[in-house]
Amino acid sequence: MELERVFVNKISIITAGAVLAWSQLTTAAIEVSEQAQTIAKETIIVDGHIDVPYRLREKWADVTQATDDGDFDYPRAVAGGLNAPFMSIYVPASLDGSDASTQLAHQLIDSVEAIVARAPDKFAIAYTTNDVKEHFTKGLISLPMGMENGSPIQGDLNNLRIFYDRGIRYITLAHSQSNHISDSSYDLRRQWKGLSPFGKTLIPAMNNIGMLIDISHVSDDAFYQTLKLSESPVIASHSSLRKFTPGFERNMNDDMIKALAENGGVIMINFGSSFVTKEARQWRDGLAKAENALLKKEGKDSPKLADFEATYRKDNPYPYSTIDEVLDHIDHVVKLVGIEHVGLGSDFDGVGDSLPIGLKDVSYFPHLVQGLLNRGYKEDEIKKILSGNVLRVWEEVEDYAKKHG
């Protein structure tokens, strides 16, 4: 796995396995100006999706200090100006329909609370948009939480209230498989042809309680049904554009982005290379086909499967996307529906060794700001992308709940 750390303008590369071609890296490098650094430091930056809790479940680390792996820790967040990352409470689809999904969600929330308890001078749970703004003035990094996969709700609206009270502020309705709420973009079964009957009752309940609805991962039918039912704007917390990854339903097409904008919502761009370019998407598909072919030929006990991806990469180098290609996604949304409907949802700590050249961890946000400046975006426009748009949506969701909850 590649580990890359950036401290403002200095890039230090640590690689395990193949080393990226220097010419490829320098082509994508961006020289960060003082203006970009200032914007990053003086603006609230909201990232819609970072998988720190599940990362720590698999291998514990103290992210209140510098860590040797992963994409997020306190020093790198400070270096990048990131101060409001949504902590993803990710529950695998394999736990759908079991009490274990609800238990895991609570355990992951516990882990976020533990981060804050260890370093209350650095982090604070954010329950409201006002919390985010207040923490920013105090120099604290806000940790709002979003639940990736609605499986832990277990068909019980009482659980919705419990998770809201614990700090969950958005729910991604499904993940890699259809669940009791919604069909998934990854699941060909389409058992509900969109939302389930319970899902159709959950949407207004989320509106009334003040819970953001996240349509990342859901099928197209579920997306449109959600927009029809929701009285509040919705978000795509970590999705990119199908225009650049044809046939990849997990991303959103132009018609969906237009509908999202009409709803008042925001698409938050995923940084993972396979979300950004068709080449990286095709590489991932090729890996899966090759692995399945080996499995069929030699069986699940084949020793070649143990380190298959590393072996595959030697003969088929991974086609990393670049920061410029991430910026292309932002540009397209802006040209299609306006500056008010795009944000950032990196998927740091969730997409493994697939992050773009120039956006390798949370310290890189000044590079993204510089890229936007280089493309002619004004400071007030950049601030909307960094946080203004998603905070507006979150405030509208809060306001609706105050009036109707």
Side-chain angles (χ1 to χ4, degrees):
M1 179 178 290
E2 177 187 273
L3 302 175
E4 188 172 318
R5 311 261 318 253
V6 168
F7 299 94
V8 191
N9 288 326
K10 182 178 179 181
I11 301 177
S12 172
I13 306 168
I14 305 170
T15 59
V19 178
L20 289 172
W22 178 250
S23 60
Q24 185 185 23
L25 178 60
T26 54
T27 299
I30 290 180
E31 183 177 351
V32 179
S33 66
E34 184 177 344
Q35 182 186 12
Q37 293 180 33
T38 299
I39 292 173
K41 295 291 184 182
E42 295 183 357
T43 305
I44 295 173
I45 299 179
V46 175
D47 188 321
H49 192 92
I50 296 186
D51 279 291
V52 169
Y54 204 81
R55 164 193 162 196
L56 300 186
R57 178 177 183 265
E58 294 187 324
K59 181 183 178 182
W60 188 85
D62 185 359
V63 295
T64 70
Q65 310 294 327
T67 59
D68 293 329
D69 57 6
D71 309 325
F72 174 95
D73 57 39
Y74 181 76
R76 283 183 283 176
V78 171
L82 176 64
N83 35 51
F86 270 89
M87 296 286 99
S88 173
I89 305 304
Y90 163 61
V91 177
S94 59
L95 299 181
D96 288 354
S98 72
D99 290 340
S101 68
T102 305
Q103 179 179 349
L104 176 58
H106 283 297
Q107 290 172 338
L108 295 179
I109 295 170
D110 290 345
S111 73
V112 178
E113 293 176 342
I115 292 171
V116 173
R118 283 198 305 276
D121 58 328
K122 298 175 181 176
F123 296 104
I125 304 287
Y127 300 95
T128 67
T129 54
N130 284 337
D131 285 345
V132 172
K133 295 170 185 177
E134 183 179 344
H135 297 161
F136 180 69
T137 64
K138 293 179 178 179
L140 296 172
I141 293 179
S142 290
L143 298 181
M145 290 181 282
M147 181 185 290
E148 186 178 26
N149 189 359
S151 176
I153 300 301
Q154 295 285 344
D156 185 349
L157 292 180
N158 288 327
N159 283 328
L160 175 66
R161 166 56 70 179
I162 290 169
F163 283 117
Y164 180 86
D165 289 345
R166 292 212 64 191
I168 296 296
R169 285 303 176 267
Y170 75 66
I171 296 176
T172 315
L173 301 180
H175 191 250
S176 59
Q177 295 178 10
S178 298
N179 60 15
H180 74 287
I181 297 168
S182 171
D183 288 336
S184 163
S185 62
Y186 287 118
D187 194 335
L188 299 179
R189 294 175 298 170
R190 307 299 159 97
Q191 60 176 326
W192 304 117
K193 295 182 173 54
L195 297 174
S196 72
F198 176 74
K200 292 175 182 177
T201 66
L202 181 64
I203 298 304
M206 291 174 70
N207 286 164
N208 291 338
I209 204 172
M211 183 80 77
L212 287 154
I213 299 166
D214 177 22
I215 51 74
S216 290
H217 283 282
V218 304
S219 68
D220 289 7
D221 286 341
F223 165 79
Y224 284 110
Q225 290 171 20
T226 298
L227 290 193
K228 185 176 181 180
L229 289 168
S230 181
E231 297 294 337
S232 299
V234 307
I235 63 169
S237 70
H238 59 306
S239 296
S240 295
L241 311 188
R242 213 175 294 176
K243 171 182 171 62
F244 299 99
T245 56
F248 184 36
E249 189 177 342
R250 170 65 177 80
N251 278 347
M252 297 177 66
N253 65 30
D254 284 4
D255 287 340
M256 296 170 76
I257 295 165
K258 291 176 182 177
L260 184 73
E262 290 177 6
N263 163 268
V266 175
I267 177 172
M268 308 178 77
I269 302 300
N270 190 313
F271 296 172
S273 290
S274 61
F275 290 80
V276 174
T277 66
K278 64 181 180 182
E279 291 79 12
R281 183 79 246 147
Q282 290 166 349
W283 185 95
R284 183 63 58 185
D285 292 341
L287 170 67
K289 289 178 182 178
E291 190 170 16
N292 287 335
L294 179 63
L295 183 65
K296 184 176 181 180
K297 180 182 179 181
E298 300 193 13
K300 64 180 181 179
D301 296 324
S302 171
K304 296 179 183 178
L305 288 169
D307 204 23
F308 183 79
E309 181 169 335
T311 302
Y312 185 84
R313 282 175 180 261
K314 290 179 181 178
D315 297 327
N316 305 274
Y318 186 76
Y320 291 98
S321 63
T322 67
I323 187 172
D324 277 322
E325 288 167 324
V326 173
L327 291 166
D328 288 344
H329 285 248
I330 295 173
D331 277 351
H332 186 70
V333 177
V334 172
K335 291 174 183 175
L336 190 68
V337 295
I339 193 75
E340 294 81 10
H341 303 288
V342 63
L344 308 175
S346 67
D347 216 347
F348 281 135
D349 279 329
V351 289
D353 182 25
S354 75
L355 290 161
I357 300 165
L359 277 177
K360 290 295 184 182
D361 63 35
V362 296
S363 68
Y364 280 75
F365 283 102
H367 293 69
L368 187 72
V369 172
Q370 186 64 55
L372 292 167
L373 288 170
N374 292 348
R375 294 192 177 206
Y377 286 88
K378 305 301 182 185
E379 185 170 334
D380 63 327
E381 295 174 325
I382 293 172
K383 290 181 176 180
K384 288 182 179 181
I385 295 169
L386 295 181
S387 63
N389 292 333
V390 69
L391 289 177
R392 168 187 57 80
V393 170
W394 190 356
E395 287 173 352
E396 289 182 27
V397 169
E398 290 174 333
D399 290 343
Y400 181 89
K402 290 174 183 176
K403 295 175 183 177
H404 301 91

PDB file of all heavy atoms in Angstrom, residues 151-167:
ATOM      1  N   SER A 151     -28.889  -0.106   7.583  1.00  0.00           N
ATOM      2  CA  SER A 151     -29.216  -1.408   8.176  1.00  0.00           C
ATOM      3  C   SER A 151     -29.435  -1.355   9.684  1.00  0.00           C
ATOM      4  O   SER A 151     -30.353  -2.020  10.202  1.00  0.00           O
ATOM      5  CB  SER A 151     -28.113  -2.415   7.841  1.00  0.00           C
ATOM      6  OG  SER A 151     -28.327  -3.654   8.461  1.00  0.00           O
ATOM      7  N   PRO A 152     -28.626  -0.592  10.470  1.00  0.00           N
ATOM      8  CA  PRO A 152     -28.812  -0.581  11.926  1.00  0.00           C
ATOM      9  C   PRO A 152     -30.166  -0.055  12.395  1.00  0.00           C
ATOM     10  O   PRO A 152     -30.529  -0.260  13.554  1.00  0.00           O
ATOM     11  CB  PRO A 152     -27.673   0.321  12.410  1.00  0.00           C
ATOM     12  CG  PRO A 152     -26.622   0.186  11.370  1.00  0.00           C
ATOM     13  CD  PRO A 152     -27.382   0.107  10.083  1.00  0.00           C
ATOM     14  N   ILE A 153     -30.936   0.601  11.520  1.00  0.00           N
ATOM     15  CA  ILE A 153     -32.266   1.076  11.914  1.00  0.00           C
ATOM     16  C   ILE A 153     -33.194  -0.114  12.175  1.00  0.00           C
ATOM     17  O   ILE A 153     -34.115  -0.026  12.997  1.00  0.00           O
ATOM     18  CB  ILE A 153     -32.855   1.995  10.821  1.00  0.00           C
ATOM     19  CG1 ILE A 153     -31.945   3.214  10.614  1.00  0.00           C
ATOM     20  CG2 ILE A 153     -34.266   2.455  11.189  1.00  0.00           C
ATOM     21  CD1 ILE A 153     -31.732   4.065  11.828  1.00  0.00           C
ATOM     22  N   GLN A 154     -32.969  -1.232  11.482  1.00  0.00           N
ATOM     23  CA  GLN A 154     -33.696  -2.491  11.732  1.00  0.00           C
ATOM     24  C   GLN A 154     -35.225  -2.341  11.603  1.00  0.00           C
ATOM     25  O   GLN A 154     -35.985  -3.022  12.311  1.00  0.00           O
ATOM     26  CB  GLN A 154     -33.347  -3.031  13.133  1.00  0.00           C
ATOM     27  CG  GLN A 154     -31.915  -3.434  13.316  1.00  0.00           C
ATOM     28  CD  GLN A 154     -31.586  -4.756  12.644  1.00  0.00           C
ATOM     29  OE1 GLN A 154     -32.454  -5.530  12.275  1.00  0.00           O
ATOM     30  NE2 GLN A 154     -30.300  -5.003  12.462  1.00  0.00           N
ATOM     31  N   GLY A 155     -35.644  -1.430  10.745  1.00  0.00           N
ATOM     32  CA  GLY A 155     -37.085  -1.285  10.546  1.00  0.00           C
ATOM     33  C   GLY A 155     -37.827  -0.685  11.718  1.00  0.00           C
ATOM     34  O   GLY A 155     -39.059  -0.771  11.797  1.00  0.00           O
ATOM     35  N   ASP A 156     -37.112  -0.034  12.614  1.00  0.00           N
ATOM     36  CA  ASP A 156     -37.703   0.503  13.847  1.00  0.00           C
ATOM     37  C   ASP A 156     -37.372   1.990  13.944  1.00  0.00           C
ATOM     38  O   ASP A 156     -36.215   2.367  14.122  1.00  0.00           O
ATOM     39  CB  ASP A 156     -37.129  -0.257  15.047  1.00  0.00           C
ATOM     40  CG  ASP A 156     -37.782   0.138  16.370  1.00  0.00           C
ATOM     41  OD1 ASP A 156     -38.526   1.148  16.404  1.00  0.00           O
ATOM     42  OD2 ASP A 156     -37.526  -0.557  17.375  1.00  0.00           O
ATOM     43  N   LEU A 157     -38.380   2.835  13.856  1.00  0.00           N
ATOM     44  CA  LEU A 157     -38.149   4.278  13.911  1.00  0.00           C
ATOM     45  C   LEU A 157     -37.624   4.726  15.272  1.00  0.00           C
ATOM     46  O   LEU A 157     -37.062   5.820  15.389  1.00  0.00           O
ATOM     47  CB  LEU A 157     -39.428   5.034  13.548  1.00  0.00           C
ATOM     48  CG  LEU A 157     -39.885   4.889  12.088  1.00  0.00           C
ATOM     49  CD1 LEU A 157     -41.162   5.694  11.860  1.00  0.00           C
ATOM     50  CD2 LEU A 157     -38.801   5.323  11.113  1.00  0.00           C
ATOM     51  N   ASN A 158     -37.805   3.904  16.294  1.00  0.00           N
ATOM     52  CA  ASN A 158     -37.199   4.233  17.589  1.00  0.00           C
ATOM     53  C   ASN A 158     -35.673   4.252  17.481  1.00  0.00           C
ATOM     54  O   ASN A 158     -35.004   5.057  18.141  1.00  0.00           O
ATOM     55  CB  ASN A 158     -37.622   3.216  18.655  1.00  0.00           C
ATOM     56  CG  ASN A 158     -39.073   3.368  19.058  1.00  0.00           C
ATOM     57  OD1 ASN A 158     -39.611   4.478  19.074  1.00  0.00           O
ATOM     58  ND2 ASN A 158     -39.725   2.257  19.373  1.00  0.00           N
ATOM     59  N   ASN A 159     -35.133   3.378  16.646  1.00  0.00           N
ATOM     60  CA  ASN A 159     -33.687   3.374  16.434  1.00  0.00           C
ATOM     61  C   ASN A 159     -33.223   4.638  15.724  1.00  0.00           C
ATOM     62  O   ASN A 159     -32.111   5.119  15.960  1.00  0.00           O
ATOM     63  CB  ASN A 159     -33.255   2.136  15.646  1.00  0.00           C
ATOM     64  CG  ASN A 159     -33.215   0.883  16.501  1.00  0.00           C
ATOM     65  OD1 ASN A 159     -32.920   0.954  17.696  1.00  0.00           O
ATOM     66  ND2 ASN A 159     -33.499  -0.262  15.900  1.00  0.00           N
ATOM     67  N   LEU A 160     -34.064   5.165  14.847  1.00  0.00           N
ATOM     68  CA  LEU A 160     -33.728   6.435  14.197  1.00  0.00           C
ATOM     69  C   LEU A 160     -33.521   7.518  15.252  1.00  0.00           C
ATOM     70  O   LEU A 160     -32.539   8.271  15.206  1.00  0.00           O
ATOM     71  CB  LEU A 160     -34.843   6.844  13.228  1.00  0.00           C
ATOM     72  CG  LEU A 160     -34.678   8.209  12.556  1.00  0.00           C
ATOM     73  CD1 LEU A 160     -33.476   8.218  11.621  1.00  0.00           C
ATOM     74  CD2 LEU A 160     -35.956   8.580  11.781  1.00  0.00           C
ATOM     75  N   ARG A 161     -34.407   7.604  16.205  1.00  0.00           N
ATOM     76  CA  ARG A 161     -34.302   8.577  17.291  1.00  0.00           C
ATOM     77  C   ARG A 161     -33.064   8.319  18.147  1.00  0.00           C
ATOM     78  O   ARG A 161     -32.338   9.240  18.512  1.00  0.00           O
ATOM     79  CB  ARG A 161     -35.561   8.541  18.153  1.00  0.00           C
ATOM     80  CG  ARG A 161     -35.452   9.258  19.499  1.00  0.00           C
ATOM     81  CD  ARG A 161     -35.042  10.727  19.362  1.00  0.00           C
ATOM     82  NE  ARG A 161     -36.088  11.537  18.772  1.00  0.00           N
ATOM     83  CZ  ARG A 161     -35.972  12.859  18.574  1.00  0.00           C
ATOM     84  NH1 ARG A 161     -34.838  13.486  18.914  1.00  0.00           N
ATOM     85  NH2 ARG A 161     -36.947  13.538  18.023  1.00  0.00           N
ATOM     86  N   ILE A 162     -32.810   7.051  18.452  1.00  0.00           N
ATOM     87  CA  ILE A 162     -31.641   6.715  19.278  1.00  0.00           C
ATOM     88  C   ILE A 162     -30.351   7.150  18.590  1.00  0.00           C
ATOM     89  O   ILE A 162     -29.473   7.769  19.210  1.00  0.00           O
ATOM     90  CB  ILE A 162     -31.622   5.201  19.577  1.00  0.00           C
ATOM     91  CG1 ILE A 162     -32.753   4.836  20.540  1.00  0.00           C
ATOM     92  CG2 ILE A 162     -30.272   4.773  20.157  1.00  0.00           C
ATOM     93  CD1 ILE A 162     -32.973   3.339  20.694  1.00  0.00           C
ATOM     94  N   PHE A 163     -30.235   6.844  17.300  1.00  0.00           N
ATOM     95  CA  PHE A 163     -29.011   7.213  16.594  1.00  0.00           C
ATOM     96  C   PHE A 163     -28.905   8.725  16.398  1.00  0.00           C
ATOM     97  O   PHE A 163     -27.804   9.285  16.458  1.00  0.00           O
ATOM     98  CB  PHE A 163     -28.915   6.478  15.260  1.00  0.00           C
ATOM     99  CG  PHE A 163     -28.492   5.040  15.401  1.00  0.00           C
ATOM    100  CD1 PHE A 163     -29.334   4.008  15.009  1.00  0.00           C
ATOM    101  CD2 PHE A 163     -27.262   4.724  15.951  1.00  0.00           C
ATOM    102  CE1 PHE A 163     -28.939   2.686  15.153  1.00  0.00           C
ATOM    103  CE2 PHE A 163     -26.858   3.397  16.103  1.00  0.00           C
ATOM    104  CZ  PHE A 163     -27.698   2.388  15.703  1.00  0.00           C
ATOM    105  N   TYR A 164     -30.037   9.392  16.211  1.00  0.00           N
ATOM    106  CA  TYR A 164     -30.008  10.847  16.132  1.00  0.00           C
ATOM    107  C   TYR A 164     -29.506  11.433  17.451  1.00  0.00           C
ATOM    108  O   TYR A 164     -28.646  12.320  17.465  1.00  0.00           O
ATOM    109  CB  TYR A 164     -31.393  11.402  15.798  1.00  0.00           C
ATOM    110  CG  TYR A 164     -31.414  12.909  15.706  1.00  0.00           C
ATOM    111  CD1 TYR A 164     -31.101  13.560  14.524  1.00  0.00           C
ATOM    112  CD2 TYR A 164     -31.716  13.689  16.829  1.00  0.00           C
ATOM    113  CE1 TYR A 164     -31.091  14.954  14.442  1.00  0.00           C
ATOM    114  CE2 TYR A 164     -31.713  15.073  16.759  1.00  0.00           C
ATOM    115  CZ  TYR A 164     -31.400  15.697  15.570  1.00  0.00           C
ATOM    116  OH  TYR A 164     -31.377  17.072  15.500  1.00  0.00           O
ATOM    117  N   ASP A 165     -30.016  10.928  18.546  1.00  0.00           N
ATOM    118  CA  ASP A 165     -29.611  11.431  19.857  1.00  0.00           C
ATOM    119  C   ASP A 165     -28.127  11.168  20.123  1.00  0.00           C
ATOM    120  O   ASP A 165     -27.493  11.920  20.872  1.00  0.00           O
ATOM    121  CB  ASP A 165     -30.463  10.793  20.961  1.00  0.00           C
ATOM    122  CG  ASP A 165     -31.894  11.305  20.967  1.00  0.00           C
ATOM    123  OD1 ASP A 165     -32.162  12.343  20.329  1.00  0.00           O
ATOM    124  OD2 ASP A 165     -32.758  10.652  21.596  1.00  0.00           O
ATOM    125  N   ARG A 166     -27.586  10.127  19.525  1.00  0.00           N
ATOM    126  CA  ARG A 166     -26.164   9.816  19.700  1.00  0.00           C
ATOM    127  C   ARG A 166     -25.272  10.640  18.772  1.00  0.00           C
ATOM    128  O   ARG A 166     -24.047  10.579  18.886  1.00  0.00           O
ATOM    129  CB  ARG A 166     -25.907   8.325  19.478  1.00  0.00           C
ATOM    130  CG  ARG A 166     -26.518   7.434  20.550  1.00  0.00           C
ATOM    131  CD  ARG A 166     -25.673   6.202  20.787  1.00  0.00           C
ATOM    132  NE  ARG A 166     -24.351   6.528  21.311  1.00  0.00           N
ATOM    133  CZ  ARG A 166     -23.347   5.655  21.409  1.00  0.00           C
ATOM    134  NH1 ARG A 166     -23.521   4.396  20.999  1.00  0.00           N
ATOM    135  NH2 ARG A 166     -22.184   6.014  21.900  1.00  0.00           N
ATOM    136  N   GLY A 167     -25.878  11.394  17.854  1.00  0.00           N
ATOM    137  CA  GLY A 167     -25.077  12.289  17.031  1.00  0.00           C
ATOM    138  C   GLY A 167     -25.047  11.994  15.552  1.00  0.00           C
ATOM    139  O   GLY A 167     -24.409  12.732  14.785  1.00  0.00           O
TER     140      GLY A 167
END
